[in-house]
Amino acid sequence: MWSYDKKLQYPVKIKNPNPAIAKVIISQLGGPDGELAASMRYLHQRYSMPYNEVVGILTDVGTEELAHLEMIAAILHQLMKGASPEDIKRAGMETYFVDHTAGLYPQSAAGVPFDMKYVGVKGDVIADLNEDLAAEQKARVTYDNILRLVDDPDVRDPIKYLRQRELVHYQRFGDALRIAQDRLDSKNFYAFNPAYDRK
């Protein structure tokens, strides 16, 4: 289904390795509001979505989140590349290093490994699309927080790009929610699910 273009969606060219920055950015790899969770959420929600236009939006955004996952991985790899054991200790990443060396392992900035429990898939149009809107805002806040902590322009540049894409995704899911609401049999979204048979 997918064709892979062997380049990043947006360039990542970090000149100065810095494990301390990697320690916070890793949340966007495997944290609760990171790119892995986003891609899994949208690419799985599409199967129970009854409207083709919304399935298309979920597929498009979910696929782009995989590209963002790749960008975050490239940022982390470049920040860790060539770091000495002393650099790792100074950054407070020695426990990560013991288990993964400089390999990429999806976890939050707090060190909690990625878990599929981060991925909201309810099988209900309104619940899932509201989950998606919230997820994009939470990811945007995480990128805002990263930008508050990081001053390296080589790191800030792709992070700003990723933050902007969260805003675009939020808008796309707003469009998806409007499409779904227009097609539901009732405007009382909280009390009525047309696919649910009460008998």
Side-chain angles (χ1 to χ4, degrees):
M1 164 184 167
W2 288 291
S3 59
Y4 179 63
D5 190 0
K6 295 183 180 181
K7 65 178 185 177
L8 294 177
Q9 184 181 12
Y10 188 87
V12 174
K13 295 178 182 170
I14 297 167
K15 293 185 277 300
N16 301 310
N18 188 331
I21 295 175
K23 186 176 180 180
V24 297
I25 290 177
I26 202 163
S27 248
Q28 282 304 87
L29 183 74
D33 306 313
E35 304 295 355
L36 180 56
S39 63
M40 293 297 97
R41 178 182 301 109
Y42 310 145
L43 293 175
H44 287 86
Q45 284 178 351
R46 65 194 175 128
Y47 288 100
S48 57
M49 194 58 61
Y51 311 116
N52 287 335
E53 297 92 334
V54 179
V55 171
I57 291 170
L58 287 165
T59 302
D60 290 348
V61 176
T63 302
E64 186 176 350
E65 300 292 10
L66 292 172
H68 295 174
L69 184 67
E70 186 177 37
M71 284 179 62
I72 291 294
I75 291 169
L76 292 168
H77 172 71
Q78 291 178 29
L79 285 169
M80 294 292 290
K81 191 174 182 178
S84 70
E86 291 74 27
D87 296 332
I88 300 289
K89 285 182 196 174
R90 268 194 303 279
M93 288 194 73
E94 59 270 24
T95 54
Y96 179 93
F97 183 82
V98 166
D99 289 337
H100 311 293
T101 319
L104 296 180
Y105 180 76
Q107 68 177 45
S108 72
V112 178
F114 177 77
D115 194 314
M116 281 298 285
K117 69 184 171 201
Y118 300 150
V119 178
V121 179
K122 196 67 173 173
D124 177 88
V125 174
I126 300 300
D128 282 349
L129 291 174
N130 277 289
E131 167 78 19
D132 301 343
L133 287 161
E136 291 299 321
Q137 285 301 301
K138 289 188 282 184
R140 192 257 320 149
V141 170
T142 303
Y143 282 125
D144 285 344
N145 291 338
I146 289 169
L147 289 168
R148 289 178 180 110
L149 295 172
V150 173
D151 58 6
D152 183 332
D154 292 341
V155 179
R156 289 177 60 85
D157 183 50
I159 294 296
K160 285 192 226 176
Y161 172 83
L162 290 165
R163 182 199 181 277
Q164 183 60 33
R165 295 308 298 164
E166 304 299 344
L167 301 177
V168 172
H169 294 171
Y170 182 83
Q171 293 165 344
R172 297 281 317 271
F173 287 130
D175 294 339
L177 183 59
R178 282 186 288 282
I179 291 166
Q181 288 172 334
D182 287 346
R183 297 206 179 162
L184 287 173
D185 295 337
S186 170
K187 297 300 178 189
N188 184 0
F189 306 119
Y190 296 101
F192 181 77
N193 180 341
Y196 180 70
D197 183 2
R198 294 170 195 254
K199 296 179 183 179

